[in-house]
Amino acid sequence: TTSTCTPQQSPAQPEQQVLPDIDILPAADVVGEAVETITAPSVGKILKFAVPAIGVWLCGPLLSLIDTSCVGVLSGTVQQAALNPAVAVTDYAALLIAFLYTATTNMIAEARETDRGVDGKMPRTSKTFVGAMQFSSFVGAGLGTILFIFARPLLRAIIGNDGFSPAVFAAAMKYVRFRALGMPAAAV
């Protein structure tokens, strides 16, 4: 691209434009009706939301730590060796349904805004919540079924070779299948 410059202007210093002073009108003058002011949430309200939200994301690693410690204390080294690939398969599968959390939060927020001003009842919020719970249950059941059926090829894909002990592989498969039974609850 080429740029043109006037003799008084060099390319290093472009001409600066001065904007005229603009008066900002209140929203009520523009819209023609009273506009509800929105106040920023307090730090306490933010913490009430943020602490449980952080807890949701900490559940997976904490459960894996609990699994590892229980298996280490109560079982042998074969089960301990089987735990890592099995946890990888189930955690990666659970990441596939992470969209449900974001989508449900957005849908509930939109429904609550729609139900604002309705006397004590929230019909759209309730319907949206029930629908989201049903959908996530179906998705979790489907994912659990896929994990249960395809545990063997998924574990082979994670492990990467056939040099794995058959005892460790069998223990990992049991663990994946057992955890697959909990996927509907994990999705909700």
Side-chain angles (χ1 to χ4, degrees):
T1 62
T2 60
S3 63
T4 58
C5 298
T6 59
Q8 299 87 9
Q9 179 186 10
S10 68
Q13 297 174 345
E15 181 181 329
Q16 293 182 355
Q17 295 180 350
V18 178
L19 296 176
D21 290 333
I22 299 173
D23 291 331
I24 298 177
L25 299 173
D29 291 348
V30 175
V31 177
E33 59 187 53
V35 177
E36 179 182 337
T37 58
I38 299 173
T39 59
S42 66
V43 173
K45 283 187 178 183
I46 292 172
L47 288 176
K48 279 184 180 179
F49 174 77
V51 171
I54 290 170
V56 167
W57 290 106
L58 290 178
C59 283
L62 287 176
L63 288 175
S64 294
L65 285 173
I66 292 168
D67 288 347
T68 304
S69 63
C70 289
V71 168
V73 169
L74 302 173
S75 301
T77 56
V78 170
Q79 288 80 12
Q80 190 77 29
L83 196 60
N84 192 21
V87 166
V89 167
T90 55
D91 284 353
Y92 290 157
L95 283 175
L96 291 174
I97 59 173
F99 71 92
L100 288 173
Y101 310 127
T102 305
T104 302
T105 302
N106 290 339
M107 288 171 35
I108 295 293
E110 180 186 350
R112 284 201 64 180
E113 184 63 29
T114 301
D115 286 344
R116 183 182 283 192
V118 177
D119 297 330
K121 296 181 181 180
M122 298 184 132
R124 184 151 184 230
T125 303
S126 299
K127 281 174 62 175
T128 303
F129 180 72
V130 168
M133 295 294 278
Q134 288 173 341
F135 182 71
S136 61
S137 297
F138 293 140
V139 169
L143 182 61
T145 302
I146 290 170
L147 276 177
F148 196 86
I149 293 170
F150 295 105
R152 182 179 305 276
L154 290 172
L155 280 170
R156 286 201 187 277
I158 289 286
I159 294 168
N161 61 18
D162 292 330
F164 211 65
S165 166
V168 172
F169 190 80
M173 211 160 76
K174 284 180 188 175
Y175 187 79
V176 168
R177 287 184 171 162
F178 184 75
R179 242 178 121 173
L181 297 175
M183 277 299 161
V188 171

